[in-house]
Amino acid sequence: MADQPKSDKINMKALAKALDVSIATVSKALRDSHDIGPETKLKVIEAAKKLNYVPNAYASSLRKKASNTIAIIIPEIADSFFSQAINGIESVVAVKKYHTLIYLTHDSYEREAYMFGELASGRVDGVIMSVASNTEDTSHIKALQQTGIPIVFFDRVFDDLKSVKITTDDFNSAYIATNHLLEAGCKNISLITIKGYPSILSAREQGYREALTEKGIDVHEGNVVTCSNKYNNENVDVIAAHLTAQKPDGIIATVEHLATSTYLACNELKLNIPRDIKVVCFTNQITAPILNPPLTTILQPAFDMGKQAAQLLFDHLAGRTEDTKKEIVLPSKLVARESTAF
Amino acid sequence: MADQPKSDKINMKALAKALDVSIATVSKALRDSHDIGPETKLKVIEAAKKLNYVPNAYASSLRKKASNTIAIIIPEIADSFFSQAINGIESVVAVKKYHTLIYLTHDSYEREAYMFGELASGRVDGVIMSVASNTEDTSHIKALQQTGIPIVFFDRVFDDLKSVKITTDDFNSAYIATNHLLEAGCKNISLITIKGYPSILSAREQGYREALTEKGIDVHEGNVVTCSNKYNNENVDVIAAHLTAQKPDGIIATVEHLATSTYLACNELKLNIPRDIKVVCFTNQITAPILNPPLTTILQPAFDMGKQAAQLLFDHLAGRTEDTKKEIVLPSKLVARESTAF
DNA sequence: TTTATTTGCTTAAACGTTTAACTAAATTGG
DNA sequence: CCAATTTAGTTAAACGTTTAAGCAAATAAA
């Protein structure tokens, strides 16, 4: 410890001087080049270790035009789906020894566009993203794609954008959820949803509508309730008002935080779940089994979606670009619990 | 759109050539240097916009020896505390227009040490971290600190390391939680905990012990149960076995996922919460109010901890290094709900 | 009018790597 | 034994910025 130089960052030049060889020799030795003899290599590697040499990442990146870094761009992080998806992404990134930049759009198109501008700086080799709820203009995304940076979309995607996409079968999941409620005896099912995320939320709404019309049930427009995408008490009020007005006996909540709001609204109105009203929600929360009552959920394959997104991105980075327009759809799973018990 | 050059990345050199000025002029104009005349500046800025010029981040970083990037190193991300803390960090980082690298240790010392090695590459200007559960050797941390990179610790800190630390009052929170259970009539309170995280978990255990001994109650060693830090069914079994053997009438769960396991164990044994047993847990889950029954929680100021950690890091980066050993302790809050009702 | 200062730009070095091109010595082949 | 090849290195350019230093022209001061 004591014999190490205090702080003056050690670089290749210093290392080369210490060993009395050229900088190129050091560089090549460390990258195990064929150009360098075995004993020289050993000398270099040992000296590097002893002097605590760590190559400068940005000099490397600049020269090699590769950053070994990817970006994750997502709306939010305090959400079980996204945090589990990040785990999936990270499981791949870690073994590739890449680095991960994370950007949160907070569902703002402006922030998203700004972030894409930043990414044109060569900072990342690729991007994994889930689009913001209100993003309609895709020019920022196309612009980045044109610079040659591959982008993999997951969950909240863009239909009109050609790219690799990992999604789950939202239409089908909502369709199944609706039928599940119908089978549990519901006659008047409402969809509690939010604005935005056209790719997933309108699919879920369509699945809901399709299941109903298929059974010859008219969808009363008052049964589709739009909440805010903030977790707040206002939503509880909106839902409570809806429950009072329309008296639905079944609820499908399309996003995680609406489950909590729905439960709270039911509590407020002293509605018993599942006796008076049955509830199913799209969520990956691990607490679903211990809610009051245990919540029937549509469980999304969050980890796998993240993992596959990352794998496809790395495939692309490795030049395996054949299926650059691949669209993978992973199944979600309805986990029936007491909240929809007959 | 059509008149823009297809893809060939445009750099300062190209921009300079297009404008028939020197590279330095472009650089200075874009950084609004006093050296450049106003009309030249305008010309440059307009051309840059028109040609979609984005400066290369790594060339910049290399030259300026500043990356405008920080790293977050945490054990896990699918956890309400950490994801909320990240939101807090991000709220500061975003306005500073910095970038955030994220690394998950999955509570492995080896990964943590490896990551610290990577960070010596000049990739980041500073680090915000929460240590892995089993990290005991701190040499990797000290080594990075010696290179001059500031590190701010939050939540899971190291007592023997001099640095800025943001924690919450774990001892006190557990002390309060224990008293809360005592006041609710509990006579036989168990602590369900896990191995590791000495800084927070032993503080919580001490708070628990202190509250009991203060009331003249002996702490039966069988009442401190150690679970695994994986969310799995094994823990449910361990807890169920404990409930059967020791018949506690109060439970303090020290980490988030143990709440779910404890509830499931109670369900399994048909124990009614709060009648047969009362439960309080350290968790920030938003579903706590709608659990069965609503869970009394120790709510940690996760967002604020992240935010303050980031602010102090930026203070340090800005050279305000006077309180480089500051230790901030933010209060947690006991939120009483039905799971501990009298 | 002459000298000093300011303005607005250019040249060139530097940041720390990687790598193409070169070279001298050692080895191999005929 | 001499030419061709291989081995083990070196030199220098390049990646795309930033910035110190320099310089000519314009302006201000004496």
Side-chain angles (χ1 to χ4, degrees), chain B residues 172-187:
Chain B
N172 211 240
S173 305
Y175 177 86
I176 289 170
T178 309
N179 275 318
H180 177 75
L181 287 176
L182 289 171
E183 283 160 23
C186 295
K187 306 279 180 220

Side-chain angles (χ1 to χ4, degrees), chain A residues 41-302:
Chain A
K41 265 183 201 169
L42 220 72
K43 255 181 28 187
V44 172
I45 290 167
E46 277 178 358
K49 188 161 292 173
K50 182 180 226 161
L51 297 178
N52 259 318
Y53 169 71
V54 181
N56 181 288
Y58 293 160
S60 237
S61 290
L62 178 60
R63 179 58 227 246
K64 295 199 293 187
K65 289 173 163 296
S67 64
N68 282 17
T69 304
I70 67 158
I72 300 178
I73 303 185
I74 52 174
E76 186 49 77
I77 197 161
D79 173 290
S80 64
F81 173 78
F82 284 119
S83 54
Q84 288 168 27
I86 290 174
N87 267 333
I89 295 171
E90 195 264 354
S91 73
V92 177
V93 172
V95 311
K96 300 277 181 185
K97 303 214 179 296
Y98 263 58
H99 302 260
T100 309
L101 283 166
I102 192 154
Y103 298 92
L104 305 178
T105 62
H106 296 297
D107 273 322
S108 149
Y109 161 72
E110 286 72 25
R111 292 194 214 207
E112 186 179 284
Y114 169 76
M115 287 158 184
F116 267 78
E118 285 288 308
L119 293 183
S121 67
R123 211 177 272 280
V124 298
D125 298 338
V127 175
I128 297 177
M129 87 169 300
S130 207
V131 300
S133 62
N134 63 339
T135 296
E136 289 173 2
D137 180 0
T138 61
S139 57
H140 59 300
I141 299 176
K142 284 176 182 156
L144 189 64
Q145 280 182 320
Q146 290 222 325
T147 71
I149 294 179
I151 304 176
V152 172
F153 293 88
F154 77 101
D155 198 52
R156 288 127 211 237
V157 305
F158 259 117
D159 289 333
D160 67 326
L161 220 53
K162 284 177 193 37
S163 188
V164 182
K165 297 173 190 165
I166 319 286
T167 54
T168 180
D169 52 350
D170 288 293
F171 175 92
N172 211 240
S173 305
Y175 177 87
I176 289 170
T178 310
N179 274 317
H180 178 75
L181 288 176
L182 289 170
E183 284 160 22
C186 295
K187 304 283 181 218
N188 184 25
I189 302 172
S190 288
L191 186 80
I192 313 283
T193 187
I194 58 171
K195 269 209 184 60
Y197 303 132
S199 70
I200 61 165
L201 292 187
S202 74
R204 289 176 190 177
E205 185 173 335
Q206 291 314 310
Y208 157 78
R209 287 175 184 274
E210 176 72 11
L212 290 180
T213 50
E214 211 178 84
K215 291 277 190 300
I217 303 173
D218 269 3
V219 179
H220 188 291
E221 290 309 320
N223 276 1
V224 176
V225 184
T226 306
C227 289
S228 133
N229 193 19
K230 292 252 160 66
Y231 172 62
N232 58 25
N233 287 326
E234 236 176 80
N235 285 340
V236 178
D237 298 342
V238 170
I239 295 168
H242 171 74
L243 295 179
T244 311
Q246 302 289 336
K247 304 221 177 293
D249 56 3
I251 292 282
I252 299 176
T254 61
V255 301
E256 185 156 303
H257 62 84
L258 291 178
T260 307
S261 300
T262 301
Y263 267 53
L264 291 175
C266 291
N267 284 354
E268 205 173 293
L269 300 175
K270 311 254 182 261
L271 291 173
N272 178 286
I273 307 171
R275 198 193 57 211
D276 305 326
I277 187 167
K278 304 189 198 307
V279 180
V280 51
C281 181
F282 284 79
T283 178
N284 283 39
Q285 296 245 36
I286 66 162
T287 49
I290 59 165
L291 294 188
N292 180 23
L295 173 65
T296 296
T297 58
I298 308 288
L299 188 68
Q300 295 183 269

Side-chain angles (χ1 to χ4, degrees), chain B residues 177-192 208 211-212 215-225 239 241-253 262 266 271 274-280:
Chain B
T178 309
N179 275 318
H180 177 75
L181 287 176
L182 289 171
E183 283 160 23
C186 295
K187 306 279 180 220
N188 185 24
I189 302 172
S190 287
L191 186 80
I192 314 284
Y208 156 79
L212 290 180
K215 291 275 192 300
I217 304 173
D218 269 4
V219 179
H220 188 289
E221 289 309 319
N223 277 1
V224 176
V225 184
I239 295 169
H242 171 73
L243 296 179
T244 310
Q246 302 289 336
K247 305 220 177 294
D249 56 4
I251 292 280
I252 299 176
T262 301
C266 290
L271 290 174
R275 199 195 53 213
D276 304 328
I277 187 167
K278 305 190 197 305
V279 180
V280 50

Side-chain angles (χ1 to χ4, degrees), chain B residues 19-279:
Chain B
L19 287 163
D20 200 37
V21 295
S22 76
I23 294 178
T25 302
V26 173
S27 176
K28 290 179 176 177
L30 292 175
R31 328 197 78 240
D32 202 26
S33 156
H34 234 299
D35 274 8
I36 307 298
E39 54 305 350
T40 311
K41 264 182 199 168
L42 220 72
K43 257 181 29 188
V44 172
I45 291 167
E46 278 177 358
K49 188 161 289 171
K50 182 179 224 161
L51 297 177
N52 260 317
Y53 169 70
V54 181
N56 182 287
Y58 293 161
S60 236
S61 290
L62 177 58
R63 180 56 228 247
K64 294 199 295 188
K65 290 172 164 296
S67 64
N68 282 17
T69 304
I70 66 157
I72 300 179
I73 303 184
I74 51 175
E76 186 50 77
I77 196 161
D79 173 290
S80 64
F81 173 78
F82 284 119
S83 53
Q84 288 168 25
I86 290 174
N87 267 332
I89 295 171
E90 196 263 354
S91 73
V92 177
V93 172
V95 312
K96 299 277 182 187
K97 305 216 176 297
Y98 263 57
H99 302 260
T100 309
L101 284 166
I102 192 155
Y103 298 92
L104 305 178
T105 62
H106 296 297
D107 273 321
S108 148
Y109 162 72
E110 286 72 23
R111 293 195 212 207
E112 187 179 281
Y114 170 76
M115 288 159 184
F116 266 79
E118 285 288 308
L119 293 183
S121 67
R123 209 177 272 280
V124 298
D125 299 337
V127 175
I128 296 176
M129 89 169 299
S130 207
V131 302
S133 63
N134 62 340
T135 296
E136 289 174 2
D137 180 359
T138 62
S139 57
H140 59 300
I141 298 176
K142 285 178 182 154
L144 189 64
Q145 279 182 321
Q146 290 222 323
T147 71
I149 295 179
I151 304 176
V152 172
F153 293 88
F154 76 102
D155 200 51
R156 287 126 210 237
V157 304
F158 260 118
D159 289 332
D160 67 326
L161 220 54
K162 283 180 191 36
S163 189
V164 181
K165 297 173 190 166
I166 319 286
T167 54
T168 180
D169 51 349
D170 287 294
F171 175 92
N172 211 240
S173 305
Y175 177 86
I176 289 170
T178 309
N179 275 318
H180 177 75
L181 287 176
L182 289 171
E183 283 160 23
C186 295
K187 306 279 180 220
N188 185 24
I189 302 172
S190 287
L191 186 80
I192 314 284
T193 189
I194 59 172
K195 268 207 185 61
Y197 303 132
S199 70
I200 62 167
L201 293 186
S202 74
R204 290 176 190 176
E205 186 173 334
Q206 291 316 311
Y208 156 79
R209 287 176 185 274
E210 175 71 12
L212 290 180
T213 48
E214 212 178 81
K215 291 275 192 300
I217 304 173
D218 269 4
V219 179
H220 188 289
E221 289 309 319
N223 277 1
V224 176
V225 184
T226 305
C227 289
S228 134
N229 193 20
K230 291 250 159 66
Y231 173 62
N232 59 24
N233 287 327
E234 235 176 79
N235 285 340
V236 179
D237 297 342
V238 171
I239 295 169
H242 171 73
L243 296 179
T244 310
Q246 302 289 336
K247 305 220 177 294
D249 56 4
I251 292 280
I252 299 176
T254 60
V255 302
E256 185 155 303
H257 63 84
L258 291 179
T260 306
S261 299
T262 301
Y263 268 53
L264 291 174
C266 290
N267 283 354
E268 207 174 292
L269 299 175
K270 309 255 183 262
L271 290 174
N272 179 285
I273 307 172
R275 199 195 53 213
D276 304 328
I277 187 167
K278 305 190 197 305
V279 180

